[in-house]
Amino acid sequence: MEQLGLTTYQVHKIQQIVGFNEIRTEQQFSPIRLFLSQFPSVINGILAIAALFSFIIGDTLDSIFILAIIILDSIFGFIQEYKAEKSLEKLRSYTSPEARVVRDGKEIQIPSKNLVPGDIVILSEGDRVPADGKLLETQHIELDESILTGESLPVNKEEGQEVNLGMLVTKGRGRMLVESIGMKTKFGQIAQTLTSIEAEKTPLQIQLTKLGRTLSFVAVCIAFLIVPLGLMQGKTLSPLLLLATSIAIAAVPVSLPAVITVALALGTSRMAKRKAIVRKMPSVETLGAVQIILVDKTGTLTENCMKVKKVWARSKESLPHIYQACVLGNTASLIQQAGGTFDIVGDKTDGALLVWAKNNYSTIDKIIAEGKVIDEFVFDAKTKMITTVWQKNGENFTFVRGAPETILERSKLSQQERHEMKKKYEDLAKEGLRIIAFATKTTGGNRMMKREDHEKDLTFLGFVGIYDPPRAEVKTAIAQARKAGIRTIMVTGDNELTALAIGKEIGLIENDEDVITGEELEKISDSDLLPILAKVRIFARTKPHDKLRITTLLQKQGFVVGVTGDGVNDALALKKADVGVAMGESGTDVAKEASDIVIADDNFATIVRAIEEGRTIYRNILKSITYLLTGNTSELFLVFFATLLELPSPLSPTQILWINLVTDGLPALALASDNKDPQALKQKPRNPNVPILTPKRMMLTISTGISLSIFFLLVFGYFYQGTTETVARTVTFNVLVFSHMALAFLVRGRLFLKPSKFLLVTVLATFILQIIVTTTPLFQKIFEIGF
């Protein structure tokens, strides 16, 4: 009954109950709602009030300018977030478009969305599994499970074992019974969980919210103080309201969102040139604050290229036979590239053996030519062996390669020899190598022998140790990260011996840091795991949910966590992380869409360079904020102190708006795009909980602003006593603008660093504009300038 499959009637009835085999991604947002969600923020609220006040006092141009900043910033945020939320829809791309099934006793091709539980699916090499189920029949079938498990090597499957949607059939064929479809599959569960995970706000977003609240509080308090003070001095209400409005606008750095957006945009451009593609701009700054990176081993720390590292032959005479065993029955093929290197087509392990033989045994082509393969037995899941029968000059030779324990057991060895060989391969295994054993036998001219006869009474030849070598630059990158105060933690699906060996080789393991396996991890509660996380440097044999769990616990401890990933199984952790970093070469679309940054070359060293860029961007943003607040504070207290001393306002409302336009705009942008600080990776990550305006920085900003305001007030007072109010304002107006240009260089600091051309051009342009405004009759009238 089972082999005949379901009938069309049964399928129709089941489909009415369970629906279609689809990953449904319920969008929790509409484009309009997402766009509108960009506007509600403290900074945007302040800017909107400033735009309204500008309109009230008749400065329509400035009002339009402020509103344009709000809209443009919101449009950019909308574009970035809309792209990010499309990650769920990418899950559909792993549902095979068609599937071969048995229905009504016949094999037919159907759209995979029409599969139902109970269907029998025929799987062949190259097919992607279209649903979750179990294998009914297998013929040497191997599946690539990496997108779900992170395991770097294909896994052999036997009858009765589970297979899941998205897995790729790399070898063999078989039949599976569909048990779960659509949202009931493991893929579906990932999709469902992904919708429930809220993306973490970046430290910059949090800090700007706090800063906005502080600025709004100060602006409102100062503005409301001016009105009662003026009324007490006998001044009329209307001019006081205009003055209070101007001060409120002056207190708010109108160009702050634009400055931050441009700083992040310039940073993303520089990072793209260094193979780090930014999908969400605020994540650039967040990357600079990362304290811990959870990083995959295969492809990120290593080359994702199997290579033979060590060979142990039982005797000198055994080595040529090992070469023969590597070449004969090998399923891979090599394409030679310029410089003598090879591209591997086919199985990576077979390819590694073939490359090693090609590089070390010059006559492998002769091996193939001087005889012929007359029988082959593909990989056996139970014995874990591959056997090839080769005939030369009428004589048959059997070559066997596979698991060391199995081949040693079937070889003609004494107990002592078997014990010595076992110790040898265990020592090699402790180095993290994948060990393959080799054996042979002569079988005369009988080619009709059964497999079990070929694979007994073998002559043992030796071992080959294969490994995935670390990237050449990764050791230096690990050291740089450590010097920068960043803890690197390897999270891999590979076994602990391989992971530990690589960890030691790249300098990840230095002293007695712990290695925890996924099996051990399941037995440890969150409360018990939290205290020991600080010592762990490697998590091996992990499952998809382990990375998410580790990320969550580290964030619970207050760390800013970066996570790398390439498979669908990584999507949850990538989205949960403060910065999700997907692999551009090996990464799935789901991983890329769930991430904040995509590394084009899959290289850990590129991540470290991106962190350096992130730190530079944050420092440049900090310079801009300090510059803006210091300058605006000087304007604020200049007008406030003048009111207290019952003096006329040293600046007119239009002059204040012009000052904000020319001093808060381009100079701040120039500081935000300043040159890289060579010390960026020689300091510890900043504490994300420390506000942008620390008490020390706040005091420095306020004291500098007040000092400047007193200086400006003295200038105004001096000229007010000796000339007219208009002349005094004109002089103060110009002195203030020119002083702000000098302030840009002072705030920048590190005088030994060459300033950017942008800053030099900006200062020069501001000087020219100010001279034009001061000397042109039209502008003299607009800005109430006179001599």
Side-chain angles (χ1 to χ4, degrees):
M1 175 74 178
E2 211 175 44
Q3 296 304 314
L4 295 176
L6 299 172
T7 65
T8 303
Y9 176 77
Q10 288 174 320
V11 169
H12 179 69
K13 285 293 184 185
I14 296 171
Q15 211 159 53
Q16 287 181 326
I17 299 171
V18 301
F20 291 102
N21 180 33
E22 295 178 312
I23 301 295
R24 296 186 304 277
T25 54
E26 298 177 9
Q27 279 194 305
Q28 298 181 340
F29 66 97
S30 68
I32 294 175
R33 188 160 65 243
L34 181 63
F35 177 67
L36 294 177
S37 72
Q38 305 299 314
F39 290 95
S41 71
V42 176
I43 287 286
N44 279 348
I46 297 170
L47 292 178
I49 293 171
L52 178 63
F53 284 166
S54 296
F55 183 76
I56 290 172
I57 65 174
D59 194 337
T60 307
L61 184 63
D62 205 68
S63 178
I64 293 172
F65 172 72
I66 295 170
L67 289 173
I69 287 175
I70 297 173
I71 293 170
L72 287 172
D73 193 57
S74 299
I75 288 173
F76 196 86
F78 162 76
I79 292 170
Q80 295 296 318
E81 288 191 28
Y82 184 81
K83 285 168 63 180
E85 292 300 328
K86 299 293 281 185
S87 61
L88 293 177
E89 296 182 5
K90 290 291 183 179
L91 285 164
R92 289 196 182 106
S93 67
Y94 282 98
T95 303
S96 199
E98 289 189 328
R100 283 173 62 202
V101 298
V102 179
R103 285 186 180 171
D104 299 312
K106 299 177 181 178
E107 288 187 18
I108 59 171
Q109 197 96 356
I110 65 167
S112 63
K113 65 177 285 186
N114 292 331
L115 286 173
V116 297
D119 263 325
I120 295 174
V121 176
I122 299 167
L123 299 173
S124 300
E125 190 170 321
D127 289 346
R128 201 171 281 281
V129 178
D132 285 3
K134 68 178 180 182
L135 291 169
L136 299 175
E137 299 176 9
T138 64
Q139 292 184 24
H140 315 299
I141 194 168
E142 288 187 11
L143 297 176
D144 179 355
E145 300 180 334
S146 59
I147 61 170
L148 283 172
T149 67
E151 178 65 51
S152 60
L153 296 172
V155 177
N156 186 78
K157 292 287 185 178
E158 299 178 9
E159 291 179 13
Q161 288 190 311
E162 179 185 281
V163 289
N164 300 105
L165 169 66
M167 292 179 176
L168 182 67
V169 181
T170 57
K171 278 186 182 179
R173 56 185 184 273
R175 293 187 177 209
M176 66 169 283
L177 175 67
V178 175
E179 295 179 326
S180 302
I181 63 170
M183 299 303 288
K184 297 294 184 182
T185 63
K186 284 190 177 181
F187 250 74
Q189 291 166 12
I190 290 174
Q192 220 159 13
T193 308
L194 198 56
T195 61
S196 66
I197 295 178
E198 293 185 12
E200 299 290 314
K201 280 191 173 182
T202 69
L204 182 63
Q205 290 170 323
I206 295 169
Q207 295 297 331
L208 285 176
T209 300
K210 292 179 181 178
L211 178 62
R213 288 172 184 159
T214 303
L215 291 174
S216 61
F217 178 76
V218 171
V220 170
C221 288
I222 297 291
F224 273 91
L225 272 175
I226 290 291
V227 176
L229 281 173
L231 291 174
M232 288 170 60
Q233 295 168 5
K235 296 178 181 177
T236 56
L237 180 62
S238 181
L240 284 173
L241 285 173
L242 286 174
L243 186 61
T245 301
S246 300
I247 289 177
I249 294 171
V252 179
V254 175
S255 61
L256 182 58
V259 165
I260 291 170
T261 300
V262 169
L264 293 173
L266 290 170
T268 60
S269 177
R270 287 195 296 265
M271 287 173 66
K273 293 175 182 176
R274 305 181 79 176
K275 299 186 178 180
I277 300 160
V278 178
R279 298 186 60 256
K280 302 173 186 176
M281 285 209 304
S283 62
V284 179
E285 174 274 329
T286 313
L287 191 60
V290 161
Q291 297 161 311
I292 295 175
I293 302 177
L294 301 183
V295 60
D296 292 334
K297 177 186 74 69
T298 304
T300 307
L301 297 176
T302 66
E303 295 179 2
N304 194 21
C305 176
M306 294 290 184
K307 291 183 180 179
V308 173
K309 184 176 182 180
K310 286 193 175 181
V311 177
W312 183 86
R314 188 183 180 193
S315 67
K316 191 175 180 180
E317 293 75 22
S318 297
L319 194 56
H321 296 303
I322 294 177
Y323 287 125
Q324 287 177 301
C326 288
V327 174
L328 299 173
N330 195 302
T331 60
S333 58
L334 304 179
I335 301 175
Q336 188 158 4
Q337 302 295 318
T341 59
F342 298 97
D343 279 347
I344 296 171
V345 179
D347 183 79
K348 290 183 179 179
T349 303
D350 275 7
L353 294 174
L354 204 55
V355 169
W356 172 71
K358 187 86 172 175
N359 289 333
N360 293 277
Y361 196 70
S362 59
T363 59
I364 68 167
D365 292 333
K366 186 179 177 183
I367 291 174
I368 299 171
E370 65 185 6
K372 62 179 180 178
V373 174
I374 61 171
D375 207 351
E376 285 184 275
F377 300 96
V378 295
F379 183 81
D380 186 293
K382 294 178 180 177
T383 62
K384 297 182 179 178
M385 294 193 301
I386 297 171
T387 300
T388 305
V389 183
W390 183 64
Q391 188 179 76
K392 178 183 177 182
N393 298 327
E395 191 171 11
N396 296 345
F397 302 89
T398 298
F399 292 100
V400 183
R401 65 178 186 270
E405 58 274 20
T406 308
I407 289 182
L408 286 176
E409 183 183 333
R410 295 169 185 240
S411 296
K412 296 181 289 184
L413 296 168
S414 66
Q415 284 296 111
Q416 183 178 349
E417 287 175 324
R418 190 171 281 110
H419 176 75
E420 289 173 358
M421 299 302 105
K422 184 180 178 183
K423 185 177 184 305
K424 189 65 185 177
Y425 92 73
E426 286 179 347
D427 288 342
L428 290 172
K430 287 176 184 177
E431 297 180 30
L433 304 178
R434 184 185 181 194
I435 310 302
I436 299 176
F438 294 83
T440 188
K441 71 183 293 186
T442 303
T443 55
N446 184 2
R447 60 175 296 178
M448 302 304 293
M449 291 171 58
K450 294 181 180 178
R451 179 167 188 165
E452 52 264 34
D453 294 326
H454 280 289
E455 295 174 347
K456 67 181 181 181
D457 299 326
L458 299 170
T459 300
F460 181 72
L461 297 173
F463 303 110
V464 169
I466 296 177
Y467 89 132
D468 182 8
R471 290 178 179 268
E473 63 275 26
V474 78
K475 188 171 185 177
T476 301
I478 291 282
Q480 285 180 326
R482 184 178 287 109
K483 192 177 291 185
I486 301 164
R487 193 196 316 168
T488 306
I489 299 175
M490 183 195 298
V491 183
T492 178
D494 284 345
N495 69 69
E496 61 272 28
L497 289 175
T498 302
L500 184 60
I502 293 293
K504 289 179 179 177
E505 191 170 348
I506 63 177
L508 182 64
I509 298 289
E510 283 193 315
N511 301 312
D512 58 344
E513 291 94 347
D514 290 339
V515 178
I516 294 180
T517 65
E519 188 178 346
E520 294 168 337
L521 200 58
E522 287 185 354
K523 299 174 184 176
I524 305 174
S525 66
D526 287 355
S527 57
D528 291 335
L529 184 58
L530 280 169
I532 63 176
L533 275 178
K535 281 192 69 179
V536 180
R537 289 295 179 275
I538 295 175
F539 290 93
R541 287 295 186 199
T542 56
K543 295 178 180 176
H545 61 268
D546 291 333
K547 189 182 283 188
L548 176 62
R549 181 188 176 197
I550 296 164
T551 301
T552 304
L553 290 176
L554 288 169
Q555 287 177 326
K556 189 176 179 180
Q557 290 181 315
F559 292 107
V560 178
V561 183
V563 171
T564 74
D566 54 10
V568 175
N569 56 299
D570 295 319
L572 304 180
L574 287 169
K575 191 170 182 182
K576 176 65 178 173
D578 296 286
V579 181
V581 182
M583 301 298 104
E585 289 183 350
S586 61
T588 60
D589 285 344
V590 179
K592 291 172 188 174
E593 293 295 332
S595 67
D596 304 294
I597 294 172
V598 177
I599 302 299
D601 59 358
D602 291 13
N603 195 335
F604 179 76
T606 302
I607 300 173
V608 176
R609 290 195 294 267
I611 288 173
E612 181 182 30
E613 190 65 54
R615 291 188 177 188
T616 296
I617 288 169
Y618 180 79
R619 291 183 184 185
N620 286 346
I621 289 174
L622 190 58
K623 293 175 195 175
S624 298
I625 291 173
T626 303
Y627 165 78
L628 289 169
L629 296 187
T630 302
N632 289 2
T633 299
S634 68
E635 299 166 41
L636 182 73
F637 280 101
L638 170 61
V639 178
F640 182 70
F641 287 152
T643 305
L644 281 178
L645 296 173
E646 300 187 22
L647 291 170
S649 175
L651 299 169
S652 70
T654 53
Q655 287 173 347
I656 291 173
L657 293 172
W658 171 255
I659 290 167
N660 283 353
L661 187 63
V662 296
T663 64
D664 284 12
L666 291 178
L669 290 174
L671 287 172
S673 58
D674 202 5
N675 296 332
K676 185 177 70 176
D677 185 349
Q679 303 296 314
L681 280 181
K682 296 181 180 178
Q683 299 169 10
K684 302 296 181 187
R686 63 183 179 82
N687 185 342
N689 297 319
V690 174
I692 291 175
L693 291 178
T694 61
K696 182 179 178 181
R697 192 171 289 125
M698 178 79 81
M699 288 301 299
L700 181 63
T701 300
I702 292 174
S703 61
T704 304
I706 290 176
S707 299
L708 285 172
S709 68
I710 293 172
F711 169 69
F712 300 145
L713 191 62
L714 290 173
V715 170
F716 176 76
Y718 175 79
F719 283 92
Y720 179 63
Q721 294 294 326
T723 58
T724 64
E725 181 180 326
T726 303
V727 172
R729 278 182 177 168
T730 300
V731 173
T732 306
F733 178 46
N734 280 278
V735 169
L736 194 147
V737 170
F738 295 146
S739 298
H740 274 49
M741 297 303 97
L743 180 64
F745 286 95
L746 290 173
V747 168
R748 180 177 178 271
R750 297 195 181 275
L751 298 177
F752 61 87
L753 281 179
K754 184 180 177 181
S756 66
K757 291 180 182 178
F758 188 16
L759 180 59
L760 295 174
V761 170
T762 293
V763 170
L764 180 61
T766 304
F767 269 95
I768 293 170
L769 285 172
Q770 187 63 22
I771 292 170
I772 292 171
V773 165
T774 305
T775 58
T776 304
L778 175 63
F779 291 115
Q780 286 178 342
K781 185 177 181 181
I782 294 173
F783 292 104
E784 302 175 35
I785 290 171
F787 295 99

